[in-house]
Amino acid sequence: MKFDLVIFDLDGVLVDSTVAITNTFNQVLKKAGVSANNDRIAEMIGMPLDMMFERYLPGKGEDCSRMYREIYGMVCVEGSKLYNGVVETLEYLKSPVLAVATTKYSKEAEILLKGMAIRKYFKFVLGADDVQKPKPNPEVINKMLELTGSSRNKTSFVGDTTYDILAGKAAGITTIAVTYGFQSKDVLAAAKPDFLIDSLPE
């Protein structure tokens, strides 16, 4: 199977940003007098940020997200690392167009990709601020298809959450779920991705 376009989610697929995200999230919660277990926060990664905060501070998701972004941009590189095999895989995939579609804002994604020294591999990067409806809505994938001119049957999406898989399925493209990210293999399998892999080189 050959693809003209391979779209990657960012957190949980290319970059392990658990420390940066959970620490920043808790910093914001503590300012409101609330705290959360880091494991519980990690389980939500991949959801829209506003939605994550609404679970702890109803009605304050937007304000908390704004505060989060002010902090996160300064610490995201220091608190993140590439997963094993990422650079090797990106080097191998030189013929198709590579892109990133994330629930991060595009500015944050750009900072992280450049900090991890992998921005050069991607032609396009789209974030939550580039669309009206975030994943699992397929809008970000449809927009990527418009930008690249790729056909749906020649496009794949690599993600680590059911939000990614559902978005890919709704867009009518091939879905690939990685099991080393933020959701368990059983949860991902239930979403019925086309492929389930345990490492990016696989």
Side-chain angles (χ1 to χ4, degrees), residues 77 110-118:
V77 175
E110 291 282 0
I111 291 172
L112 189 54
L113 289 167
K114 290 173 183 174
M116 298 290 103
I118 57 173

Side-chain angles (χ1 to χ4, degrees), residues 77-169:
V77 175
E78 181 182 340
S80 302
K81 61 184 179 180
L82 291 176
Y83 285 107
N84 291 334
V86 168
V87 173
E88 293 86 344
T89 304
L90 297 177
E91 281 284 344
Y92 178 79
L93 294 173
K94 285 187 173 178
S95 56
V97 171
L98 304 183
V100 169
T102 175
T103 50
K104 273 180 163 51
Y105 271 25
S106 54
K107 180 181 178 181
E108 299 164 2
E110 291 282 0
I111 291 172
L112 189 54
L113 289 167
K114 290 173 183 174
M116 298 290 103
I118 57 173
R119 178 61 181 88
K120 62 183 179 180
Y121 294 106
F122 303 102
K123 187 169 184 179
F124 297 102
V125 176
L126 292 180
D129 52 329
D130 293 311
V131 295
Q132 295 296 316
K133 298 177 181 179
K135 296 177 288 185
N137 188 284
E139 183 182 356
V140 69
I141 295 175
N142 290 331
K143 187 169 184 177
M144 196 72 77
L145 291 170
E146 291 175 9
L147 286 172
T148 61
S150 178
S151 62
R152 295 180 192 276
N153 64 346
K154 291 282 188 173
T155 299
S156 63
F157 186 33
V158 187
D160 71 304
T161 70
T162 54
Y163 290 96
D164 300 320
I165 305 310
L166 293 173
K169 284 182 169 294

Side-chain angles (χ1 to χ4, degrees), residues 171-182:
I173 64 173
T174 298
T175 54
I176 303 169
V178 301
T179 62
Y180 56 81
F182 295 112

